[in-house]
Amino acid sequence: MAPTLLELAHWSTWAVCAVIKLPQLAAVLAARSARGVSVGSVLCKTTNFLVFLRYQIYYGYPLQTYLEYPIIIAQDVILLLFILRFNGNMKRALFYAVTFWGGWYMLTLRKWIIDLAMNLCTFISAASKLAQLRCLWQTKDSGQVSALTWSMSAYTCATRIFTTVVTTNDVAVLIRFIIMLILNIWVTATILHYRKTKKTD
């Protein structure tokens, strides 16, 4: 039973992650605006995903436990480019690319660096979600922020809690996914709240 459930968790996570950012990308592209989408949040999430991917590769964890991260990173990079374009800041794209590439290399210069980065990864990811919450609270408008994308993120965190317990049982990874699950649910609820408030006005 457990191997079948584990495979289902892996496959469903990969399937969700293959399209996880598409609702957000479609909303931004259709509106030709990034209103309500936090650049800081996207940068923090991309940093978090890069650190997490590098950590998994460094420790030789099974590919199935992190296969979705290259897909999510590619989607986040596209979202970041859309945001920069619609906000008129495309010149920053090169700076971000060089920074991410340099960080990817530096993470594995020493074992303590990747371990520290992984522990900080939880705070980085939490910061990205708190940045999005702050943006929502300040504008009191969910704008182009996709509740579907955030709810899919909550689902993938829930499945990754299960797969981590069954495969690697890495405590740092488990803590990260539990915190991210809580924050993803909070962001989703906030988006839905402001969407409902806007409809009733």
Side-chain angles (χ1 to χ4, degrees):
M1 170 89 173
T4 305
L5 194 54
L6 181 63
E7 288 302 312
L8 177 64
H10 284 314
W11 280 101
S12 66
T13 300
W14 300 332
V16 168
C17 288
V19 298
I20 197 163
K21 300 291 180 173
L22 294 185
Q24 185 68 72
L25 288 166
V28 169
L29 195 55
R32 302 197 65 73
S33 165
R35 184 176 53 90
V37 182
S38 168
V39 175
S41 176
V42 175
L43 289 171
C44 285
K45 281 191 285 189
T46 306
T47 302
N48 169 57
F49 294 147
L50 286 167
V51 168
F52 190 74
L53 176 62
R54 193 68 161 156
Y55 178 87
Q56 297 279 339
I57 292 168
Y58 183 82
Y59 281 103
Y61 286 155
L63 181 62
Q64 337 44 314
T65 62
Y66 62 88
L67 186 61
E68 67 272 17
Y69 283 90
I71 299 165
I72 297 171
I73 291 166
Q75 293 176 62
D76 263 348
V77 167
I78 293 167
L79 178 60
L80 181 60
L81 290 172
F82 281 167
I83 294 169
L84 293 175
R85 171 150 193 227
F86 294 132
N87 289 345
N89 294 324
M90 277 304 283
K91 291 179 182 178
R92 292 186 182 178
L94 179 61
F95 170 75
Y96 294 141
V98 170
T99 303
F100 285 137
W101 179 83
W104 176 264
Y105 171 75
M106 291 177 59
L107 282 170
T108 55
L109 289 176
R110 299 271 188 263
K111 182 184 179 301
W112 68 267
I113 296 173
I114 191 71
D115 290 340
L116 177 63
M118 180 56 199
N119 289 322
L120 292 174
C121 188
T122 300
F123 295 108
I124 293 167
S125 189
S128 77
K129 288 156 189 9
L130 292 171
Q132 184 60 62
L133 279 167
R134 182 172 173 243
C135 186
L136 290 165
W137 293 332
Q138 286 177 337
T139 62
K140 296 190 181 342
D141 181 6
S142 58
Q144 309 316 315
V145 184
S146 171
L148 181 58
T149 293
W150 285 92
S151 62
M152 288 192 295
S153 293
Y155 171 78
T156 61
C157 285
T159 60
R160 283 305 178 207
I161 290 169
F162 170 72
T163 61
T164 301
V165 168
V166 174
T167 57
T168 64
N169 211 22
D170 187 312
V171 175
V173 173
L174 275 173
I175 290 169
R176 176 188 174 276
F177 282 129
I178 291 167
I179 292 170
M180 295 311 100
L181 174 63
I182 293 165
L183 290 172
N184 283 330
I185 291 170
W186 192 1
V187 172
T188 303
T190 305
I191 293 166
L192 294 174
H193 169 74
Y194 285 124
R195 194 151 295 149
K196 182 180 176 185
T197 302
K198 191 172 182 180
K199 285 180 182 175
T200 56
D201 286 347

